[in-house]
């Protein structure tokens, strides 16, 4: 039975050829279809790679067709509004509406199951405050920098030129300039696209030191000082690890290293570019902090911090111990949750490595509070933040500001086809293909980036006012309510263990921190026995 389609094609082909030969009738179009099908069926039997094609010639191709069709069928026909990963239809629709300045309201009540486990809310007040929306700024580096920076409460998270197209980077910077928020460059360096519209930049420096590297890939202080002096560069962020693929370096294949990308990253054209898994500029927590202080000096006194996804707890506590030993603190730390996105990552690293944002945030808050360092360091967070609630929840847990990458990509027109790693992005956002990139019009998408930011921060302002608060900085863990089960609700301060100021410095330490603290060494990232 499995050979019937191939036999039918063969018989039809032979019959038409015979008719054409005997009757002089030319049957070009049927033969133009049948002969390639016959050739395909024969090749299916002869090829050695696919068992299904050998055993089911022609028919097996339907499997691959439906495999290709499956995600589109689910996304557009089968998934409900609240299904879909990593962002559901209703979440994406909210971002699209806000980016287009369409009123972000819906009728007939919530679509969410408010009795489902993990449903969250913030309690409102009988005496809500008038909505007060001054822009919500966070001052970074006030006590340690010649040029402190006033950051927006919502900013564009790290998105590199190379991962995103030049036009996408330009549109993001257009929106950042128009809305007064910062644009993280990602570790790919500062390109002409980042500088195109004058938006504030946070220059992210990864293990490849792109834009400030020597010929052999090490850190170049002179080149760093030159680039850090650019007026648009407001802060320096050292990337230790990334939520979507912690513990791994990177490789940009030579065919993707165009002259433009090579100039941006400071590497040779058309040659493979490796990003090692760890930094070469330092090897211990103490050396890292001394290097951060040197970056602050070389930059002329701009705020310097680092970004990481929390892994081994003793490693971060080793950095905290080094802060105490040297009296050097970063101006800010950005905590990247494991739920964050990336253009391409191994499945295991993306799915099962790294600490999710909320557990990581609580841990960092405790580590800094327990050593009386919290007031000296600002905390940013990133990891699937896209609306007023996700912002408020993280601010309640201890963050000072929020960053978002994929939400701003949706504002650019991303439709979540998950083809970022194929260079076949259908919306021109995550591609270097000139034809695809040409579909993204900066003058149209840039204002959408600004509108999404403005409307999302306004939604946060309404949210905070409804809780009876005047400013997001007043949010506390007890404001966030989480349904543990159908008949049990807890506040965040009952779910997460917060420790008292100075609790790690003297006296009996909290049991779950004591072991990590004893393992931490300011002169090594390795655990101490």
């Amino acid at each position: 039975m499995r050979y019937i389609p191939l036999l039918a094609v063969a018989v039809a082909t032979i019959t038409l050829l015979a008719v054409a030969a005997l009757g002089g009738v030319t049957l070009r179009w049927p033969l133009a279809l049948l002969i390639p099908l016959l050739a395909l069926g024969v090749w299916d039997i002869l090829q050695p790679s696919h068992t299904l094609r050998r055993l089911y010639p022609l028919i097996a191709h339907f499997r691959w067709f439906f495999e290709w069709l499956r995600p589109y069928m689910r996304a557009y026909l089968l998934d409900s509004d609240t299904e879909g990963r990593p962002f559901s239809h209703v979440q994406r629709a909210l971002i699209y509406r806000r980016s287009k300045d369409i009123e972000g309201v819906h009728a007939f009540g919530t679509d969410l199951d408010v009795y489902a486990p993990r449903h969250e809310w913030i309690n409102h007040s009988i005496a809500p405050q008038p909505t007060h929306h001054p822009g919500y700024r966070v001052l970074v580096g006030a006590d340690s920098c010649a040029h402190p920076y006033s950051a927006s409460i919502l900013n564009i998270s790290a998105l590199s030129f190379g991962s995103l197209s030049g036009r996408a980077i330009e549109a993001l910077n257009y929106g950042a300039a128009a809305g007064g928020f910062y644009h993280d460059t990602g570790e790919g360096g500062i390109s002409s696209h980042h500088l195109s519209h004058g938006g504030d930049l946070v220059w992210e420096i990864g293990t490849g030191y792109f834009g400030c590297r020597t010929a052999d890939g090490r850190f170049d202080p002179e080149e760093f000082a030159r680039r850090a002096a650019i007026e648009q560069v407001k802060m320096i962020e050292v990337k230790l690890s990334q939520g979507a693929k912690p513990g791994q370096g990177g490789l940009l294949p030579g065919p993707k290293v165009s002259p433009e990308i090579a100039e941006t990253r400071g590497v040779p054209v058309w040659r493979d570019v490796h990003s090692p898994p760890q930094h070469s500029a330092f090897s211990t927590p103490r050396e890292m902090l001394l290097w951060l202080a040197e970056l602050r000096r070389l930059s002329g006194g701009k705020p310097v911090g680092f970004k990481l996804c929390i892994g081994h707890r003793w490693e971060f506590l080793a950095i905290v111990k080094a802060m105490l030993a040297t009296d050097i603190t970063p101006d800010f730390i950005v905590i990247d949750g494991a739920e964050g996105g990336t253009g391409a990552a191994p499945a295991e690293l993306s799915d099962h490595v790294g600490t999710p944002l909320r557990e990581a945030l609580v841990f960092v808050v405790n580590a800094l509070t327990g050593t009386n360092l919290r007031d000296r360091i600002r905390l940013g967070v990133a990891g699937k933040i896209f609306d007023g609630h996700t912002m408020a929840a993280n601010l309640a847990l201890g963050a000072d500001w929020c960053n978002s990458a994929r939400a701003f990509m949706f504002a650019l027109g991303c439709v979540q086809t998950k083809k970022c790693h194929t260079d076949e992005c259908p919306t021109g956002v995550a591609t270097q293909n000139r034809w695809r990139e040409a579909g993204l019009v900066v003058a149209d998408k840039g204002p959408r980036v600004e509108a999404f930011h403005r409307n999302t921060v306004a939604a946060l302002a309404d949210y905070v006012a409804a809780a009876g608060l005047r400013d997001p900085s007043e949010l506390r863990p007890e404001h966030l309510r989480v349904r543990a089960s159908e008949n049990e609700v807890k506040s965040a301060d009952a779910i997460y263990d917060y420790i008292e100021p100075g609790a790690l410095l003297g006296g009996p330490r909290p049991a779950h921190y004591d072991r990590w603290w004893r393992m931490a060494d300011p002169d090594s990232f390795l655990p101490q026995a």
Side-chain angles (χ1 to χ4, degrees):
M1 294 291 291
R2 63 179 182 263
Y3 293 106
I4 287 178
L6 178 59
L7 292 174
V9 170
V11 170
T13 302
I14 293 170
T15 301
L16 290 178
L17 289 172
V19 169
L22 296 176
V25 180
T26 303
L27 301 169
R28 294 178 180 175
W29 290 111
L31 288 173
L33 174 65
L34 291 171
I35 290 175
L37 280 176
L38 179 61
L40 178 62
V42 172
W43 172 244
D44 283 344
I45 294 174
L46 297 177
Q47 59 81 35
S49 301
H50 296 281
T51 303
L52 283 177
R53 287 171 59 191
R54 287 173 61 86
L55 296 178
Y56 301 90
L58 294 183
I59 302 175
H61 289 276
F62 284 100
R63 175 191 181 276
W64 281 278
F65 170 73
F66 285 111
E67 280 283 320
W68 169 83
L69 186 62
R70 182 176 182 272
Y72 302 102
M73 292 286 288
R74 285 189 59 85
Y76 293 108
L77 298 177
L78 301 178
D79 279 349
S80 74
D81 285 351
T82 56
E83 292 178 328
R85 293 287 186 273
F87 288 84
S88 69
H89 173 79
V90 71
Q91 291 169 343
R92 300 195 308 272
L94 177 64
I95 297 169
Y96 295 144
R97 289 198 304 272
R98 286 182 171 163
S99 68
K100 297 175 183 178
D101 262 331
I102 300 173
E103 191 174 12
V105 298
H106 57 214
F108 222 62
T110 181
D111 293 328
L112 302 178
D113 181 357
V114 297
Y115 292 98
R118 299 184 65 186
H119 177 72
E120 298 176 351
W121 67 92
I122 286 181
N123 286 338
H124 67 282
S125 172
I126 293 177
Q129 295 292 325
T131 300
H132 181 57
H133 180 17
Y136 298 143
R137 313 298 295 188
V138 179
L139 188 60
V140 185
D143 298 327
S144 56
C145 297
H147 303 284
Y149 178 63
S150 177
S152 171
I153 202 167
L154 175 63
N155 303 280
I156 301 172
S157 195
L159 291 166
S160 298
F161 171 55
S163 294
L164 264 60
S165 68
R167 290 196 180 195
I169 295 294
E170 285 188 32
L172 290 171
N173 198 257
Y174 182 117
F181 51 97
Y182 78 64
H183 177 191
D184 192 314
T185 65
E187 65 176 312
I190 305 170
S191 70
S192 60
H193 305 289
H194 288 99
L195 301 171
S196 58
H197 295 283
D200 292 349
L201 296 177
V202 170
W203 182 13
E204 181 176 282
I205 299 175
T207 57
Y209 305 114
F210 297 125
C212 57
R213 59 187 268 143
T214 60
D216 61 352
R218 303 184 73 82
F219 176 69
D220 185 336
E222 292 183 2
E223 187 61 20
F224 169 80
R226 186 182 72 83
R227 302 287 279 175
I230 296 172
E231 197 280 330
Q232 271 180 254
V233 175
K234 303 301 183 182
M235 300 198 294
I236 311 298
E237 177 182 285
V238 174
K239 173 187 167 184
L240 301 183
S241 57
Q242 176 179 346
K245 49 181 177 183
Q248 187 182 60
L251 169 66
L252 188 65
K256 285 191 173 183
V257 186
S258 66
E260 188 177 21
I261 290 177
E263 180 183 2
T264 299
R265 299 197 175 198
V267 297
V269 181
W270 309 126
R271 292 176 60 183
D272 290 352
V273 180
H274 295 270
S275 296
Q278 63 187 48
H279 281 268
S280 59
F282 58 87
S283 59
T284 69
R286 191 187 300 267
E287 289 178 1
M288 187 190 89
L289 291 173
L290 292 171
W291 186 57
L292 292 183
E294 178 66 4
L295 294 182
R296 188 185 291 127
R297 184 189 70 81
L298 291 170
S299 69
K302 294 181 179 181
V304 174
F306 61 86
K307 178 181 85 172
L308 83 167
C309 176
I310 292 295
H312 295 307
R313 301 299 197 267
W314 66 78
E315 292 178 344
F316 185 82
L317 291 176
I319 296 173
V320 172
K321 280 189 173 182
M323 294 179 196
L324 296 171
T326 62
D327 198 33
I328 299 171
T329 54
D331 299 301
F332 67 93
I333 298 171
V334 174
I335 304 151
D336 208 20
E339 61 269 54
T342 184
E348 289 81 2
L349 267 68
S350 184
D351 293 343
H352 301 292
V353 177
T355 305
L357 176 56
R358 293 191 181 181
E359 285 78 9
L361 172 58
V362 171
F363 168 74
V364 170
V365 168
N366 278 339
L368 298 179
T369 300
T371 51
N372 294 327
L373 293 173
R374 178 64 182 90
D375 291 340
R376 296 172 60 178
I377 302 170
R378 297 296 194 182
L379 296 181
V381 291
K384 204 175 179 182
I385 294 170
F386 64 92
D387 66 359
H389 172 72
T390 49
M391 288 183 68
N394 283 287
L395 295 171
L397 293 177
D400 292 307
W401 80 80
C402 299
N403 292 342
S404 180
R406 287 171 292 181
F408 282 103
M409 290 175 66
F410 289 134
L412 292 176
C414 168
V415 291
Q416 195 173 272
T417 56
K418 303 181 187 179
K419 291 187 175 182
C420 310
H421 61 296
T422 66
D423 207 34
E424 296 177 356
C425 172
T427 58
V429 176
T431 181
Q432 297 302 309
N433 182 296
R434 295 292 187 183
W435 175 79
R436 294 177 182 275
E437 181 183 356
L440 195 157
V441 179
V442 174
D444 176 66
K445 303 304 182 185
R448 293 190 184 188
V449 171
E450 183 278 330
F452 168 71
H453 175 275
R454 170 168 38 83
N455 290 321
T456 302
V457 174
L460 172 67
D462 290 339
Y463 206 78
V464 169
L469 307 175
R470 294 183 179 275
D471 192 90
S473 62
E474 298 175 17
L475 286 164
R476 295 292 181 267
E478 57 266 24
H479 289 121
L480 179 62
R481 310 287 291 180
V482 182
R483 183 172 292 283
S485 65
E486 287 190 358
N487 57 3
E488 184 181 14
V489 174
K490 294 182 178 180
S491 60
D493 61 334
I495 296 174
Y496 302 106
D497 293 324
Y498 284 88
I499 65 178
E500 295 297 321
L504 297 179
L505 296 178
R509 301 184 191 94
H512 49 297
Y513 280 83
D514 183 62
R515 177 170 172 267
W516 298 328
W517 184 261
R518 287 185 284 105
M519 294 171 70
D521 181 352
D523 292 304
S524 176
F525 286 110
L526 296 175
Q528 301 305 298

